[in-house]
Amino acid sequence: MRRRIDGRRVPLACVFPFTAAAHAPYPVHITTGKGDTRTNMSTQQKGRHKDRTVGTRLRAEVEEAHSALDAAAAGPDRQTQLSRGVLTGYLWALGRGEDAPITGARIEGPPDIPQLTAEVDAATVQLEDTTQRTVPRDFIRGVHDALAWVCGHSDDRP
């Protein structure tokens, strides 16, 4: 037996708890065929938690890291390309930058984990291949280190 989920026909097993539909990273609207639609509650609870995190870190933790580095590198004579890259990475991860710092991709609101990870990967490619590099290496290293920390790839906060 099949039901409609988000306009697609899926096996009935996907409608019940402890299945892919119950753990989807986006709201799943389930239509029962009688005209009523229900939204998966566990997904909505995850959505509220997302506002408190940036990548795998708490938003407050990323805000504090940004503020501490910004205060330490106050003034143009104290900033390095590395610290500028880290600050840029933090700002973009917090949703305050318009374009991604390495790829230039435009997104609405704060980036999610796949977008953050894609930017870390792009930074890694530019660090390894000098022909791909369009900005100073230290700036790229700063963005990479900041976003790798935000994503949980590293425990060392830049």
Side-chain angles (χ1 to χ4, degrees):
M1 178 172 229
R2 294 181 176 266
R3 296 280 190 211
R4 290 203 175 275
I5 297 180
D6 292 337
R8 296 176 305 211
R9 291 182 56 93
V10 297
L12 187 58
C14 291
V15 176
F16 294 105
F18 308 111
T19 62
H23 300 287
Y26 50 84
V28 176
H29 303 286
I30 302 168
T31 305
T32 63
K34 297 177 183 172
D36 65 335
T37 301
R38 298 183 195 136
T39 302
N40 183 357
M41 291 305 289
S42 65
T43 302
Q44 289 187 356
Q45 291 168 355
K46 289 178 191 175
R48 285 195 312 250
H49 181 68
K50 183 180 178 187
D51 294 339
R52 293 181 287 171
T53 60
V54 176
T56 61
R57 307 286 175 183
L58 292 175
R59 176 172 283 284
E61 191 178 8
V62 178
E63 293 274 3
E64 191 275 326
H66 175 266
S67 297
L69 182 59
D70 196 31
D77 58 325
R78 296 180 68 188
Q79 283 190 357
T80 63
Q81 287 294 329
L82 183 68
S83 66
R84 286 183 185 131
V86 172
L87 289 170
T88 301
Y90 286 153
L91 287 175
W92 184 71
L94 290 165
R96 297 186 194 144
E98 289 184 19
D99 298 339
I102 304 298
T103 63
R106 286 200 158 205
I107 60 169
E108 293 287 325
D112 57 16
I113 292 275
Q115 292 163 328
L116 289 164
T117 303
E119 203 66 12
V120 171
D121 292 344
T124 301
V125 167
Q126 285 198 17
L127 286 170
E128 292 174 355
D129 185 0
T130 58
T131 61
Q132 298 289 318
R133 199 173 306 145
T134 59
V135 295
R137 179 180 175 79
D138 287 344
F139 179 85
I140 297 168
R141 170 61 62 197
V143 171
H144 174 274
D145 292 352
L147 296 180
W149 177 75
V150 166
C151 289
H153 299 170
S154 169
D155 291 329
D156 299 327
R157 184 176 99 179

